[in-house]
Each structure stands twice: as C-alpha cells, then as structure tokens.
C-alpha cells in the first residue's frame, strides 16, 4: 500500500457533476447532495487502514456538519475486481456498520474519481454554497477536527482556511487499462 498525499487546494475550482448508485440503491447526483452552506465530497473505501482509523471521526464530523447546513457524500472508486473488500455488497455492510447518515456512492467506472483528481483514501473535497472548492486537506491532527473546523468556516464565510495540510492515505486502486 503506497502512502500518498493530496495536492494543494485549487481554491474556486467548481465541483464536477455526477450521478452514482448509492448503497440505498438510489441514483444520487451532485444536486441531490448540495448543501445550503456547503458540500463535502469524500473519496473513501472499505479496506483502507487510513479510512478505518478515522471512519468514526468522519461520521461524527458529517453529522455535525449537517447541523450547519453542509451536506456530504462518500464515494468509493476502487477496482472491485482486484479489491473485493470494496465490492458494492461490502459497501452496503460498511455503511450500515458505521451508521452512515449520508450517501455512500459507487463509482464503478472511476470517472468521478478521475474528474475530481482524487488520489487517495480518504480524500476530502470541501465546497462552499456555490460549489467552489475551499478545502482539500486532512481530517485531523487533534479534536476538533481540521476538516470539521474548515467546513464550519466555509459554512459561515464561504471561504476555506488559507493554510491546509494534505490528507494522506492509500492510493486509489485504478482499473488496469489493457
């Protein structure tokens, strides 16, 4: 497992539209998850030790952010043929096990991960109310989480923190092209 870091936040970059299948067996689009004060899109997976280490904090942060008008979704983009732990059926179990109250979406073709430039799990994209990127950093070094604090700042000001520390995690498991 290669440890990767996310790139620096490209402030103002617009969120890319998508429609993906959720673990609730519903089609979910970007407009469905757009929050009044911001939107958090997370690339995660079921098997990554970095995700497993912070999944409870992710769920707590997302629940808190919902109370300040920020909606969230998690997207799983790994190659499930090579990483069966990340299968759609296992995504459903993972979401139930961790009490996800947000959509967990399957990016089977990996198009959404490529469109967003996702590089690792977890990879966080925090957008303001205009779907302009304002945060691309780690979840935390300590409580309260950097992610939670950054997204709350975005909810109240529309702007993310100028100083951001990259998220780190396992690489996205790309489908091998023949």
């Amino acid at each position: 497992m290669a440890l990767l870091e996310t790139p620096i936040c490209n402030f103002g970059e617009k969120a890319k539209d998508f429609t993906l299948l959720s673990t609730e067996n519903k089609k979910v689009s970007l407009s469905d998850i757009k929050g009044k004060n911001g939107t958090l899109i997370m690339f995660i997976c079921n098997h990554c030790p970095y995700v497993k280490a912070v999944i409870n904090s992710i769920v707590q942060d997302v629940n808190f952010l919902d109370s300040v008008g920020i909606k969230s979704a998690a997207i799983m983009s790994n190659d499930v043929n090579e990483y069966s732990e990340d299968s759609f059926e296992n995504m459903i179990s993972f979401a139930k096990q961790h009490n996800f109250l947000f959509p967990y979406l399957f990016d089977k073709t990996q198009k959404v991960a490529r469109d967003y430039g996702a590089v690792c799990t977890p990879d966080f994209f925090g957008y303001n109310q205009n779907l302009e990127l304002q945060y691309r950093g780690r979840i935390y070094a300590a409580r309260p989480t950097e992610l939670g604090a950054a997204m709350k700042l975005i909810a109240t000001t529309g702007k993310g923190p100028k100083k951001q520390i990259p998220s780190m995690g396992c690489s996205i498991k790309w489908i091998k092209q023949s």
Side-chain angles (χ1 to χ4, degrees), residues 16 34 91 132:
K16 313 296 187 292
K34 184 180 184 291
M91 287 175 61
E132 299 163 334

Side-chain angles (χ1 to χ4, degrees), residues 153-169:
L153 179 66
I154 292 166
T156 56
T157 69
K159 300 283 184 192
K162 295 295 178 211
K163 183 179 179 205
Q164 299 181 14
I165 299 170
S167 184
M168 296 186 321

Side-chain angles (χ1 to χ4, degrees), residues 32-172:
D32 294 328
I33 61 158
K34 184 180 184 291
K36 176 179 74 162
N37 294 325
T39 306
L40 175 63
I41 298 172
M42 307 166 280
F43 289 85
I44 68 169
C45 70
N46 309 331
H47 86 274
C48 172
Y50 296 96
V51 171
K52 287 179 176 181
V54 297
I55 194 61
N56 292 332
S57 294
I58 288 172
V59 171
Q60 288 173 359
D61 279 1
V62 167
N63 293 342
F64 163 74
L65 293 172
D66 189 57
S67 73
V68 296
I70 292 178
K71 299 292 182 195
S72 304
I75 299 173
M76 201 299 296
S77 300
N78 281 349
D79 177 357
V80 297
N81 293 320
E82 293 292 322
Y83 295 86
S84 60
E85 290 176 75
D86 291 332
S87 72
F88 188 68
E89 295 75 22
N90 287 332
M91 287 175 61
I92 293 168
S93 298
F94 191 77
K96 285 180 183 173
Q97 176 187 354
H98 295 288
N99 300 311
F100 286 10
L101 299 178
F102 51 91
Y104 190 20
L105 309 172
F106 185 32
D107 181 18
K108 185 177 184 176
T109 66
Q110 301 184 316
K111 181 184 182 326
V112 178
R114 291 187 193 285
D115 286 350
Y116 276 76
V119 296
C120 63
T121 56
D123 200 346
F124 302 99
F125 293 78
Y127 294 90
N128 64 17
Q129 68 277 14
N130 299 317
L131 293 174
E132 299 163 334
L133 187 63
Q134 296 296 315
Y135 188 72
R136 179 102 187 258
R138 67 183 175 181
I139 187 166
Y140 64 61
R143 295 289 294 163
T145 71
E146 290 173 51
L147 175 65
M151 292 306 298
K152 186 174 180 191
L153 179 66
I154 292 166
T156 56
T157 69
K159 300 283 184 192
K162 295 295 178 211
K163 183 179 179 205
Q164 299 181 14
I165 299 170
S167 184
M168 296 186 321
C170 297
S171 64
I172 299 280

